Amino acid sequence: MRRNGMNFWGLIAIGTGIVIILSIVLPKSFWWFVLAGALICGGVWLIRCC
């Protein structure tokens, strides 16, 4: 049986591992675009949910 808490932590671990691998491979300027996209997505999500 799956637990929702464990599923959440598993997704965080996988996401963190992907970010670490990509940070080694990709140049630093790429991460500014990722940060900008994350901020835009977070803002849209906050506007829709709140």
PDB file of all heavy atoms in Angstrom, residues 23-41:
ATOM      1  N   SER A  23      22.745  20.635 -12.961  1.00  0.00           N
ATOM      2  CA  SER A  23      23.620  21.745 -12.572  1.00  0.00           C
ATOM      3  C   SER A  23      25.073  21.449 -12.894  1.00  0.00           C
ATOM      4  O   SER A  23      25.857  22.369 -13.106  1.00  0.00           O
ATOM      5  CB  SER A  23      23.459  22.058 -11.088  1.00  0.00           C
ATOM      6  OG  SER A  23      23.974  21.014 -10.303  1.00  0.00           O
ATOM      7  N   ILE A  24      25.432  20.190 -12.932  1.00  0.00           N
ATOM      8  CA  ILE A  24      26.797  19.821 -13.304  1.00  0.00           C
ATOM      9  C   ILE A  24      26.993  19.963 -14.813  1.00  0.00           C
ATOM     10  O   ILE A  24      28.040  20.411 -15.272  1.00  0.00           O
ATOM     11  CB  ILE A  24      27.099  18.376 -12.845  1.00  0.00           C
ATOM     12  CG1 ILE A  24      27.101  18.313 -11.323  1.00  0.00           C
ATOM     13  CG2 ILE A  24      28.421  17.893 -13.411  1.00  0.00           C
ATOM     14  CD1 ILE A  24      27.143  16.903 -10.775  1.00  0.00           C
ATOM     15  N   VAL A  25      25.966  19.625 -15.585  1.00  0.00           N
ATOM     16  CA  VAL A  25      26.087  19.561 -17.036  1.00  0.00           C
ATOM     17  C   VAL A  25      25.839  20.914 -17.710  1.00  0.00           C
ATOM     18  O   VAL A  25      26.575  21.296 -18.623  1.00  0.00           O
ATOM     19  CB  VAL A  25      25.103  18.508 -17.593  1.00  0.00           C
ATOM     20  CG1 VAL A  25      25.118  18.487 -19.104  1.00  0.00           C
ATOM     21  CG2 VAL A  25      25.435  17.135 -17.039  1.00  0.00           C
ATOM     22  N   LEU A  26      24.824  21.654 -17.261  1.00  0.00           N
ATOM     23  CA  LEU A  26      24.398  22.864 -17.967  1.00  0.00           C
ATOM     24  C   LEU A  26      25.145  24.104 -17.472  1.00  0.00           C
ATOM     25  O   LEU A  26      25.589  24.155 -16.332  1.00  0.00           O
ATOM     26  CB  LEU A  26      22.896  23.062 -17.777  1.00  0.00           C
ATOM     27  CG  LEU A  26      22.030  21.964 -18.392  1.00  0.00           C
ATOM     28  CD1 LEU A  26      20.587  22.137 -17.993  1.00  0.00           C
ATOM     29  CD2 LEU A  26      22.152  21.966 -19.895  1.00  0.00           C
ATOM     30  N   PRO A  27      25.246  25.125 -18.328  1.00  0.00           N
ATOM     31  CA  PRO A  27      25.929  26.365 -17.922  1.00  0.00           C
ATOM     32  C   PRO A  27      25.102  27.176 -16.921  1.00  0.00           C
ATOM     33  O   PRO A  27      23.905  26.976 -16.782  1.00  0.00           O
ATOM     34  CB  PRO A  27      26.079  27.135 -19.244  1.00  0.00           C
ATOM     35  CG  PRO A  27      25.014  26.592 -20.123  1.00  0.00           C
ATOM     36  CD  PRO A  27      24.827  25.155 -19.716  1.00  0.00           C
ATOM     37  N   LYS A  28      25.770  28.109 -16.245  1.00  0.00           N
ATOM     38  CA  LYS A  28      25.120  28.883 -15.190  1.00  0.00           C
ATOM     39  C   LYS A  28      24.029  29.800 -15.719  1.00  0.00           C
ATOM     40  O   LYS A  28      23.043  30.059 -15.029  1.00  0.00           O
ATOM     41  CB  LYS A  28      26.146  29.702 -14.426  1.00  0.00           C
ATOM     42  CG  LYS A  28      27.062  28.856 -13.599  1.00  0.00           C
ATOM     43  CD  LYS A  28      28.044  29.699 -12.839  1.00  0.00           C
ATOM     44  CE  LYS A  28      28.967  28.821 -12.030  1.00  0.00           C
ATOM     45  NZ  LYS A  28      29.938  29.579 -11.264  1.00  0.00           N
ATOM     46  N   SER A  29      24.167  30.328 -16.915  1.00  0.00           N
ATOM     47  CA  SER A  29      23.160  31.247 -17.448  1.00  0.00           C
ATOM     48  C   SER A  29      21.814  30.555 -17.652  1.00  0.00           C
ATOM     49  O   SER A  29      20.764  31.193 -17.604  1.00  0.00           O
ATOM     50  CB  SER A  29      23.637  31.864 -18.760  1.00  0.00           C
ATOM     51  OG  SER A  29      23.837  30.862 -19.734  1.00  0.00           O
ATOM     52  N   PHE A  30      21.843  29.249 -17.879  1.00  0.00           N
ATOM     53  CA  PHE A  30      20.600  28.496 -18.050  1.00  0.00           C
ATOM     54  C   PHE A  30      19.752  28.563 -16.790  1.00  0.00           C
ATOM     55  O   PHE A  30      18.516  28.610 -16.840  1.00  0.00           O
ATOM     56  CB  PHE A  30      20.922  27.033 -18.385  1.00  0.00           C
ATOM     57  CG  PHE A  30      19.722  26.137 -18.378  1.00  0.00           C
ATOM     58  CD1 PHE A  30      18.848  26.149 -19.445  1.00  0.00           C
ATOM     59  CD2 PHE A  30      19.469  25.291 -17.315  1.00  0.00           C
ATOM     60  CE1 PHE A  30      17.734  25.318 -19.444  1.00  0.00           C
ATOM     61  CE2 PHE A  30      18.363  24.467 -17.312  1.00  0.00           C
ATOM     62  CZ  PHE A  30      17.498  24.479 -18.382  1.00  0.00           C
ATOM     63  N   TRP A  31      20.362  28.566 -15.621  1.00  0.00           N
ATOM     64  CA  TRP A  31      19.619  28.505 -14.363  1.00  0.00           C
ATOM     65  C   TRP A  31      18.861  29.788 -14.073  1.00  0.00           C
ATOM     66  O   TRP A  31      17.883  29.786 -13.334  1.00  0.00           O
ATOM     67  CB  TRP A  31      20.556  28.118 -13.218  1.00  0.00           C
ATOM     68  CG  TRP A  31      21.016  26.714 -13.446  1.00  0.00           C
ATOM     69  CD1 TRP A  31      22.230  26.323 -13.888  1.00  0.00           C
ATOM     70  CD2 TRP A  31      20.231  25.527 -13.315  1.00  0.00           C
ATOM     71  NE1 TRP A  31      22.262  24.948 -14.028  1.00  0.00           N
ATOM     72  CE2 TRP A  31      21.050  24.444 -13.689  1.00  0.00           C
ATOM     73  CE3 TRP A  31      18.916  25.278 -12.923  1.00  0.00           C
ATOM     74  CZ2 TRP A  31      20.591  23.128 -13.672  1.00  0.00           C
ATOM     75  CZ3 TRP A  31      18.468  23.971 -12.902  1.00  0.00           C
ATOM     76  CH2 TRP A  31      19.295  22.914 -13.277  1.00  0.00           C
ATOM     77  N   TRP A  32      19.287  30.915 -14.654  1.00  0.00           N
ATOM     78  CA  TRP A  32      18.505  32.146 -14.501  1.00  0.00           C
ATOM     79  C   TRP A  32      17.168  32.005 -15.212  1.00  0.00           C
ATOM     80  O   TRP A  32      16.144  32.490 -14.738  1.00  0.00           O
ATOM     81  CB  TRP A  32      19.274  33.346 -15.034  1.00  0.00           C
ATOM     82  CG  TRP A  32      20.393  33.731 -14.130  1.00  0.00           C
ATOM     83  CD1 TRP A  32      21.725  33.594 -14.383  1.00  0.00           C
ATOM     84  CD2 TRP A  32      20.286  34.281 -12.817  1.00  0.00           C
ATOM     85  NE1 TRP A  32      22.455  34.029 -13.314  1.00  0.00           N
ATOM     86  CE2 TRP A  32      21.604  34.465 -12.331  1.00  0.00           C
ATOM     87  CE3 TRP A  32      19.223  34.640 -12.000  1.00  0.00           C
ATOM     88  CZ2 TRP A  32      21.862  34.993 -11.077  1.00  0.00           C
ATOM     89  CZ3 TRP A  32      19.489  35.163 -10.742  1.00  0.00           C
ATOM     90  CH2 TRP A  32      20.785  35.331 -10.301  1.00  0.00           C
ATOM     91  N   PHE A  33      17.145  31.334 -16.367  1.00  0.00           N
ATOM     92  CA  PHE A  33      15.888  31.092 -17.077  1.00  0.00           C
ATOM     93  C   PHE A  33      14.992  30.133 -16.293  1.00  0.00           C
ATOM     94  O   PHE A  33      13.780  30.299 -16.244  1.00  0.00           O
ATOM     95  CB  PHE A  33      16.159  30.541 -18.484  1.00  0.00           C
ATOM     96  CG  PHE A  33      16.789  31.543 -19.390  1.00  0.00           C
ATOM     97  CD1 PHE A  33      18.109  31.416 -19.756  1.00  0.00           C
ATOM     98  CD2 PHE A  33      16.067  32.615 -19.877  1.00  0.00           C
ATOM     99  CE1 PHE A  33      18.702  32.343 -20.594  1.00  0.00           C
ATOM    100  CE2 PHE A  33      16.648  33.551 -20.711  1.00  0.00           C
ATOM    101  CZ  PHE A  33      17.972  33.416 -21.069  1.00  0.00           C
ATOM    102  N   VAL A  34      15.605  29.138 -15.671  1.00  0.00           N
ATOM    103  CA  VAL A  34      14.834  28.200 -14.846  1.00  0.00           C
ATOM    104  C   VAL A  34      14.221  28.935 -13.653  1.00  0.00           C
ATOM    105  O   VAL A  34      13.042  28.737 -13.329  1.00  0.00           O
ATOM    106  CB  VAL A  34      15.724  27.030 -14.367  1.00  0.00           C
ATOM    107  CG1 VAL A  34      15.004  26.162 -13.362  1.00  0.00           C
ATOM    108  CG2 VAL A  34      16.179  26.194 -15.553  1.00  0.00           C
ATOM    109  N   LEU A  35      15.006  29.794 -13.001  1.00  0.00           N
ATOM    110  CA  LEU A  35      14.495  30.562 -11.862  1.00  0.00           C
ATOM    111  C   LEU A  35      13.359  31.478 -12.289  1.00  0.00           C
ATOM    112  O   LEU A  35      12.327  31.561 -11.609  1.00  0.00           O
ATOM    113  CB  LEU A  35      15.631  31.377 -11.234  1.00  0.00           C
ATOM    114  CG  LEU A  35      15.238  32.279 -10.065  1.00  0.00           C
ATOM    115  CD1 LEU A  35      14.691  31.451  -8.907  1.00  0.00           C
ATOM    116  CD2 LEU A  35      16.421  33.118  -9.626  1.00  0.00           C
ATOM    117  N   ALA A  36      13.515  32.157 -13.421  1.00  0.00           N
ATOM    118  CA  ALA A  36      12.459  33.039 -13.909  1.00  0.00           C
ATOM    119  C   ALA A  36      11.187  32.246 -14.227  1.00  0.00           C
ATOM    120  O   ALA A  36      10.080  32.670 -13.876  1.00  0.00           O
ATOM    121  CB  ALA A  36      12.929  33.787 -15.156  1.00  0.00           C
ATOM    122  N   GLY A  37      11.332  31.104 -14.857  1.00  0.00           N
ATOM    123  CA  GLY A  37      10.161  30.268 -15.158  1.00  0.00           C
ATOM    124  C   GLY A  37       9.483  29.764 -13.906  1.00  0.00           C
ATOM    125  O   GLY A  37       8.249  29.730 -13.821  1.00  0.00           O
ATOM    126  N   ALA A  38      10.278  29.383 -12.910  1.00  0.00           N
ATOM    127  CA  ALA A  38       9.699  28.906 -11.653  1.00  0.00           C
ATOM    128  C   ALA A  38       8.944  30.023 -10.938  1.00  0.00           C
ATOM    129  O   ALA A  38       7.866  29.795 -10.377  1.00  0.00           O
ATOM    130  CB  ALA A  38      10.793  28.342 -10.750  1.00  0.00           C
ATOM    131  N   LEU A  39       9.489  31.233 -10.950  1.00  0.00           N
ATOM    132  CA  LEU A  39       8.806  32.359 -10.330  1.00  0.00           C
ATOM    133  C   LEU A  39       7.499  32.695 -11.047  1.00  0.00           C
ATOM    134  O   LEU A  39       6.479  32.983 -10.409  1.00  0.00           O
ATOM    135  CB  LEU A  39       9.720  33.584 -10.301  1.00  0.00           C
ATOM    136  CG  LEU A  39      10.880  33.510  -9.314  1.00  0.00           C
ATOM    137  CD1 LEU A  39      11.814  34.692  -9.522  1.00  0.00           C
ATOM    138  CD2 LEU A  39      10.357  33.468  -7.887  1.00  0.00           C
ATOM    139  N   ILE A  40       7.503  32.650 -12.368  1.00  0.00           N
ATOM    140  CA  ILE A  40       6.286  32.917 -13.130  1.00  0.00           C
ATOM    141  C   ILE A  40       5.238  31.850 -12.858  1.00  0.00           C
ATOM    142  O   ILE A  40       4.074  32.155 -12.592  1.00  0.00           O
ATOM    143  CB  ILE A  40       6.603  33.008 -14.636  1.00  0.00           C
ATOM    144  CG1 ILE A  40       7.425  34.271 -14.902  1.00  0.00           C
ATOM    145  CG2 ILE A  40       5.338  32.997 -15.467  1.00  0.00           C
ATOM    146  CD1 ILE A  40       8.013  34.338 -16.290  1.00  0.00           C
ATOM    147  N   CYS A  41       5.641  30.580 -12.887  1.00  0.00           N
ATOM    148  CA  CYS A  41       4.699  29.490 -12.608  1.00  0.00           C
ATOM    149  C   CYS A  41       4.162  29.580 -11.185  1.00  0.00           C
ATOM    150  O   CYS A  41       2.965  29.368 -10.955  1.00  0.00           O
ATOM    151  CB  CYS A  41       5.365  28.145 -12.839  1.00  0.00           C
ATOM    152  SG  CYS A  41       5.713  27.796 -14.559  1.00  0.00           S
TER     153      CYS A  41
END
